Amino acid sequence: GFRGVGAYDKAEGQARLAAKLAQANFGIESWEYLQALEALALTKKAASHYAEAAPLQQQLIALYEKIAPHHEGYERALSGYAGTLVYLARKKE
């Protein structure tokens, strides 16, 4: 909700808390952790913090590959990461 209205600091705080709780309760190879990590990566990208989003997106892709490689979210994660890389490459030009 916060990300949708541009309250990125609040959205990031919630996503970080969700990731911490998911990791503690379900482990880092869980669907719950994946969802929290995805929320954090999307928030960083929405806030135009591409350099911070990129490593989160890499982690997200690796986690999808481990636990849900056939899920439609995997393709979205790959596409989102590609977009981030293109942005970062253009920024360096």
Side-chain angles (χ1 to χ4, degrees):
F2 286 124
R3 185 175 66 239
V5 297
Y8 302 123
D9 289 340
K10 289 182 180 182
E12 181 180 343
Q14 284 192 334
R16 287 193 183 281
L17 178 59
K20 182 179 178 181
L21 292 172
Q23 183 178 1
N25 291 301
F26 303 104
I28 60 170
E29 290 187 1
S30 66
W31 184 253
E32 292 79 8
Y33 183 74
L34 182 145
Q35 290 177 312
L37 184 61
E38 188 166 42
L40 182 57
L42 289 171
T43 298
K44 287 293 190 182
K45 191 169 179 181
S48 298
H49 297 154
Y50 294 94
E52 295 174 35
L56 295 169
Q57 290 172 304
Q58 287 177 318
Q59 292 174 19
L60 181 62
I61 290 166
L63 189 53
Y64 264 117
E65 288 172 349
K66 278 188 171 185
I67 67 171
H70 301 291
H71 190 275
E72 65 188 37
Y74 178 57
E75 290 181 14
R76 276 195 315 267
L78 288 170
S79 178
Y81 182 52
T84 297
L85 293 178
V86 167
Y87 175 84
L88 290 171
R90 286 185 178 163
K91 188 176 174 184
K92 289 182 180 180
E93 291 178 354

